């Protein structure tokens, strides 16, 4: 689950992004490879979204990842969540890969 994020607010943000893209719940469900009921439950705050699914959802909805956290999670919360997930990685290769990805993202942000 996404630490520190109110499921109701997350659901509202998902709905807003979906509607902005002109997608129905069924279309989003197909793109996200879940059932329409799962999308409905996410949007209504009745289902929690695994944090690992958030990047895919952001890509599908064409929003930055932080869109889901605006006004809800501070930088300290984000840092803590990132560290907790990082420590869940089993292998040193996975951790090194994450570090490289973060470096690349940081470099890209500096250029933008």
């Amino acid at each position: 689950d996404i630490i520190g994020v109110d499921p109701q607010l997350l659901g509202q943000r998902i709905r807003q992004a979906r509607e902005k893209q002109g997608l129905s719940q069924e279309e989003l469900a197909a793109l996200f490879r879940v059932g329409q009921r799962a999308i409905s439950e996410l949007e209504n705050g009745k289902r929690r979204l695994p944090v690992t699914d958030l990047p895919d959802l952001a890509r599908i909805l064409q929003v930055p990842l932080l869109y889901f956290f605006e006004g809800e999670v501070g930088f300290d919360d984000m840092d803590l969540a990132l560290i907790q997930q990082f420590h869940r990685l089993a292998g040193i290769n996975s951790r090194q890969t994450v570090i490289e990805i973060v470096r690349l993202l940081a470099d890209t942000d500096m250029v933008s």
Side-chain angles (χ1 to χ4, degrees), residues 11-75:
Q12 290 172 3
R13 292 193 183 275
I14 292 170
R15 177 180 288 124
Q16 289 169 350
R18 175 182 59 77
E19 290 174 348
K20 185 177 179 186
Q21 292 300 317
L23 296 171
S24 67
Q25 284 186 345
E26 293 82 9
E27 291 168 325
L28 177 56
L31 292 169
F32 198 47
R33 296 188 175 129
V34 298
Q36 180 273 328
R37 182 177 179 176
I39 298 299
S40 176
E41 290 174 350
L42 280 172
E43 289 185 355
N44 289 308
K46 295 179 180 177
R47 178 183 288 228
R48 294 197 175 266
L49 182 68
V51 70
T52 54
D53 290 346
L54 206 54
D56 287 337
L57 187 58
R59 181 185 49 76
I60 291 166
L61 293 172
Q62 299 179 20
V63 296
L65 196 54
L66 287 179
Y67 166 82
F68 298 111
F69 299 100
E70 290 173 3
E72 266 297 292
V73 177
F75 285 111

Side-chain angles (χ1 to χ4, degrees), residues 1 4 6 8-9 26 28 50 52 65 71 73-74 76 81 83 96 112:
D1 294 349
D6 174 20
Q8 294 290 120
L9 182 61
E26 293 82 9
L28 177 56
T52 54
L65 196 54
V73 177
D76 290 341
I83 290 168
Q96 288 174 332
S112 300

Side-chain angles (χ1 to χ4, degrees), residues 39 94 104:
I39 298 299
S94 296
L104 289 170

